[in-house]
Amino acid sequence: LRKLIAECRTCGGRSVSIEMGLDRIRDETFEQDFEERLKLLRALIPCADQLRVSICVQVRYPKSFPGSKEWEHAGALVHEVMHPNCRLAVNLVPEEFPPNFDISTFVRSCCFRIGTLRFHHGLASGESMADDDMATWAKALRGHGFKGGIVFSPRVSTADALQAACRKIDRWARLFE
């Protein structure tokens, strides 16, 4: 993993995300499972620190399934590592946001722990965020001094849809400049 982190930095990357299987931690084995993940992160932090790369623990919003403890486990890991190069990589699925989802409240609640935000959306199927919503995200993140990465991950199925997605993503990316 250290070699991969170094390769990412060589390619210009400022962060790497790691899937830690946090939804697979069972209550019966929590202490051992948590300690294994914590040990891994702590072993990688000196390399990340030296290379000025953030290691981001992946989480999903909304949660993958009712009762998921992924966020709690990820937050606890980031807290226990207690290093500025250990952050969260938040995979956002806007079409699954709850009806009264408030962007500003969400950003305020977790902005300082986030290293990367990924917007997963189905542009081809019409499941796309409105430009106004993306502008609200940009304003909220800017207001909290967010310095992490923004990634747009569209699901497209044709070349025409890909071109349209690229145009929309270019427009959205300018909001974050």
Side-chain angles (χ1 to χ4, degrees), residues 27-28 102 104 125 154 171:
D27 290 339
E28 305 82 39
D102 183 69
S104 297
S125 61
R171 193 168 60 247

Side-chain angles (χ1 to χ4, degrees), residues 44-134:
L44 295 174
I45 284 298
C47 173
D49 192 39
Q50 179 184 6
L51 297 169
R52 296 189 324 234
V53 172
S54 291
I55 296 178
C56 300
V57 178
Q58 289 188 47
V59 292
R60 182 188 193 279
Y61 186 86
K63 293 180 178 182
S64 298
F65 57 88
S68 169
K69 294 182 180 179
E70 180 184 54
W71 273 86
E72 292 85 349
H73 297 331
L77 282 170
V78 170
H79 178 79
E80 287 297 319
V81 171
M82 196 67 72
H83 193 281
N85 290 43
C86 186
R87 321 279 295 159
L88 297 175
V90 180
N91 293 308
L92 298 167
V93 186
E95 60 261 22
E96 295 179 12
F97 287 171
N100 297 325
F101 179 72
D102 183 69
I103 293 168
S104 297
T105 300
F106 179 84
V107 169
R108 189 174 333 110
S109 71
C110 59
C111 182
F112 295 108
R113 294 181 295 174
I114 298 174
T116 302
L117 271 179
R118 291 190 197 99
F119 292 92
H120 295 268
H121 46 86
L123 288 171
S125 61
E127 301 170 351
S128 178
M129 289 181 62
D131 288 352
D132 289 348
D133 287 340
M134 198 56 74

Side-chain angles (χ1 to χ4, degrees), residues 8-24:
C8 287
R9 184 64 183 142
T10 299
C11 294
R14 295 181 312 179
S15 68
V16 296
S17 63
I18 185 166
E19 167 57 54
M20 307 229 34
L22 299 176
D23 274 337
R24 292 189 298 275

